[in-house]
Amino acid sequence: MAADAHRAFKDRLYGLFARIGQTLASPRRLEILELLAQRERTVESLAGELGLSLANTSQHLQALRQAALVETRKEGLYVYYRLADPAVSDLCRSIRTVAEHRLAELERLVREHFGDRSAAEPIGMDELLKLARTKDVTILDTRPPQEYAAGHIAGAISVPVDELQRRLRELPRDREYVAYCRGPYCVYADRAVEILQAKGRRARRLLEGFPEWRAAGFPVYIGAEQGVLR
Amino acid sequence: MAADAHRAFKDRLYGLFARIGQTLASPRRLEILELLAQRERTVESLAGELGLSLANTSQHLQALRQAALVETRKEGLYVYYRLADPAVSDLCRSIRTVAEHRLAELERLVREHFGDRSAAEPIGMDELLKLARTKDVTILDTRPPQEYAAGHIAGAISVPVDELQRRLRELPRDREYVAYCRGPYCVYADRAVEILQAKGRRARRLLEGFPEWRAAGFPVYIGAEQGVLR
DNA sequence: GAATTAATCAAGTAATCTATTGATTACTGT
DNA sequence: ACAGTAATCAATAGATTACTTGATTAATTC
């Protein structure tokens, strides 16, 4: 009977979908994907930032590659991993959305760690876009410089949070600032706002990060060269 | 140092996200979610359709409930499971999208099973909406009656594929038909189109299914009562 | 209240997954 | 060719997961 063939088809079909799901079943791999959403990176560099062993990181990356979620290029000794498709980034965001909607524990955890975020007066992406068009506002990219170089919000300047303290003189008191970073659960922008406010600047944080901004189709600069608006 | 606390936070944060991912790592559970996207169902009914044991189905459903992806209500002896949030449906679709973009194997599998689908002249959702507004077209819901009852494309009539053969007289020859079903990988609509064309009707299939139509915000009837447009 | 039925629980086994360790490969620069 | 480094491979132990079987719980019907 054809029902058997149909069962077999469904098994294989959902088997393929589950392969994607399996790849998203590890906290480490999800964290790797989030980092790769900022820029391509080497195995070593990821292992360093995540505090994982090189071999372990390599294995996770291979799992991601087998599921075709990431691609690689080799340059000299280094293998650079990157997201294979913007849809992968969307998928990660989709998981986050479900977690936010459904897991009360997430909200508790975030409140516990970030405390009351209202001091940073978080603003949304639409709001920032409007603000940037109508008023003078300085947008600060608080991520590491390589991530800024790989792509950033149009008009933003790179002020990695580590350098903010000693580069304060570049940021006049009479301006308004909005800081952003990797995403809603990244602390860079919060720290930056804290420092800026302590030093008498009017500063807020963008609720979302660069990947969300790009996914929304808002204006970005891509690539190392500045001035190339896409 | 605060870095430890921050590592712990990240571990817990991505642990939560991974809990969603883990739940999506099983082909069975993905299939269950797809069925629940059509309507709420009992454990027994799902077990029957999926060909799983009752206990096994119950365990999968509990995994889904623990991850807060589904909710339940009890009615008499039966426990009805339903999707907890439209975002869950979006998430499943997101997985499918990535699989379609990235897994060449998927395309091969689908072609192998469906053969050349062009005979069914699949049309997209926008196209159908336009068609329904400008021309006379009969939209056929080929899913089981309960799924139609739980929600269907506005204006569609229920003709479960099993009943199509003997209800042909209700479908005049001089009309144009578009059949839809559960989703792009469901065969109901394909079978319906085959039968209709064999019997001299002009028929095509909607590429997507009801969940996609609803998610797109297109007009639907929800609930058992017909005539309630939302 | 006894029988029936839907669903869950509990325990066990086989299979799979994660991270570690040490060895190996691939490429660079001398 | 050789040393040095990035990455991968291979083997392993420990934890987790999927499914089965048989017992138990909860609601209904007689």
Side-chain angles (χ1 to χ4, degrees), chain B residues 8-40:
Chain B
F9 165 70
K10 279 194 178 170
D11 284 351
R12 289 176 62 193
L13 181 69
Y14 286 100
L16 286 180
F17 295 152
R19 213 157 86 190
I20 309 280
Q22 276 159 25
T23 312
L24 304 172
S26 149
R28 306 312 196 174
R29 284 197 292 272
L30 289 175
E31 202 170 351
I32 289 175
L33 288 175
E34 181 134 325
L35 289 177
L36 292 180
Q38 312 295 328
R39 64 169 176 110
E40 63 169 9

Side-chain angles (χ1 to χ4, degrees), chain A residues 42-44 58-59 62 79 81:
Chain A
T42 65
V43 184
E44 204 186 23
S58 175
Q59 279 165 355
Q62 279 167 74
V79 177
Y81 279 81

Side-chain angles (χ1 to χ4, degrees), chain A:
Chain A
M1 190 174 171
D4 290 350
H6 195 232
R7 213 0 52 219
F9 165 70
K10 279 194 178 170
D11 284 352
R12 289 176 62 191
L13 181 69
Y14 287 100
L16 286 180
F17 295 153
R19 212 157 87 190
I20 310 279
Q22 275 159 25
T23 314
L24 304 173
S26 149
R28 306 311 197 175
R29 285 196 291 270
L30 289 174
E31 201 170 351
I32 289 175
L33 288 176
E34 180 134 326
L35 289 177
L36 293 181
Q38 313 295 329
R39 64 171 177 107
E40 64 168 10
R41 294 183 72 149
T42 65
V43 184
E44 204 186 23
S45 138
L46 287 167
E49 175 144 0
L50 297 171
L52 301 181
S53 77
L54 196 68
N56 193 15
T57 306
S58 175
Q59 279 165 355
H60 278 307
L61 285 166
Q62 279 167 74
L64 289 166
R65 186 168 53 182
Q66 273 206 316
L69 302 187
V70 304
E71 289 174 338
T72 56
R73 71 182 175 88
K74 186 149 193 182
E75 188 180 308
L77 280 179
Y78 294 91
V79 177
Y80 285 88
Y81 279 81
R82 63 174 180 278
L83 293 193
D85 195 302
V88 176
S89 212
D90 296 342
L91 174 53
C92 295
R93 209 165 310 118
S94 201
I95 288 189
R96 226 173 48 201
T97 303
V98 169
E100 286 163 359
H101 281 216
R102 304 295 316 155
L103 301 181
E105 208 180 323
L106 175 59
E107 208 195 324
R108 232 179 302 129
L109 175 62
V110 169
R111 212 193 342 261
E112 209 177 284
H113 190 256
F114 283 95
D116 186 9
R117 255 175 161 179
S118 61
E121 289 180 70
I123 77 171
M125 298 193 293
D126 300 303
E127 236 175 314
L128 175 55
L129 191 63
K130 210 182 300 175
L131 202 65
R133 280 180 177 155
T134 58
K135 280 181 68 176
D136 252 11
V137 59
T138 300
I139 305 177
L140 304 177
D141 187 319
T142 61
R143 299 172 303 160
Q146 299 110 311
E147 297 180 10
Y148 174 84
H152 55 264
I153 293 181
I157 62 172
S158 174
V159 186
V161 67
D162 295 337
E163 303 177 11
L164 178 56
Q165 197 70 251
R166 69 182 139 86
R167 284 178 54 189
L168 272 169
R169 73 192 59 185
E170 299 173 30
L171 306 172
R173 281 177 185 276
D174 57 354
R175 289 192 61 83
E176 192 173 334
Y177 297 96
V178 172
Y180 73 92
C181 51
R182 289 171 171 168
Y185 302 106
C186 174
V187 296
Y188 292 160
D190 293 88
R191 285 201 199 134
V193 168
E194 225 172 279
I195 295 174
L196 288 165
Q197 288 182 345
K199 299 297 180 179
R201 268 76 169 179
R202 171 146 171 66
R204 293 185 277 174
R205 85 155 272 168
L206 179 65
L207 205 52
E208 296 89 357
F210 176 68
E212 289 81 19
W213 180 274
R214 180 178 45 195
F218 291 155
V220 298
Y221 282 89
I222 298 279
E225 300 157 50
Q226 293 192 23
V228 184
L229 184 56
R230 288 212 192 158

Side-chain angles (χ1 to χ4, degrees), chain B residues 118-121 192-204:
Chain B
S118 61
E121 287 182 72
V193 167
E194 226 171 279
I195 294 174
L196 287 166
Q197 289 182 346
K199 299 296 179 178
R201 269 74 170 180
R202 169 146 172 66
R204 294 185 276 175

Side-chain angles (χ1 to χ4, degrees), chain B residues 8-113:
Chain B
F9 165 70
K10 279 194 178 170
D11 284 351
R12 289 176 62 193
L13 181 69
Y14 286 100
L16 286 180
F17 295 152
R19 213 157 86 190
I20 309 280
Q22 276 159 25
T23 312
L24 304 172
S26 149
R28 306 312 196 174
R29 284 197 292 272
L30 289 175
E31 202 170 351
I32 289 175
L33 288 175
E34 181 134 325
L35 289 177
L36 292 180
Q38 312 295 328
R39 64 169 176 110
E40 63 169 9
R41 293 185 74 151
T42 66
V43 183
E44 205 185 23
S45 137
L46 287 167
E49 176 144 1
L50 297 171
L52 300 181
S53 76
L54 196 68
N56 193 202
T57 307
S58 176
Q59 280 163 355
H60 279 307
L61 285 166
Q62 280 168 73
L64 288 166
R65 187 168 53 183
Q66 275 207 315
L69 301 187
V70 304
E71 289 173 341
T72 57
R73 73 183 174 88
K74 186 151 192 180
E75 190 180 307
L77 280 178
Y78 294 91
V79 177
Y80 286 88
Y81 280 82
R82 63 173 179 278
L83 293 193
D85 196 302
V88 175
S89 213
D90 296 342
L91 174 53
C92 294
R93 209 164 311 119
S94 201
I95 289 188
R96 227 174 46 201
T97 304
V98 169
E100 285 163 0
H101 281 213
R102 302 299 313 157
L103 301 180
E105 209 180 323
L106 175 59
E107 208 195 322
R108 233 178 301 131
L109 175 63
V110 169
R111 213 195 339 263
E112 209 175 284
H113 191 255

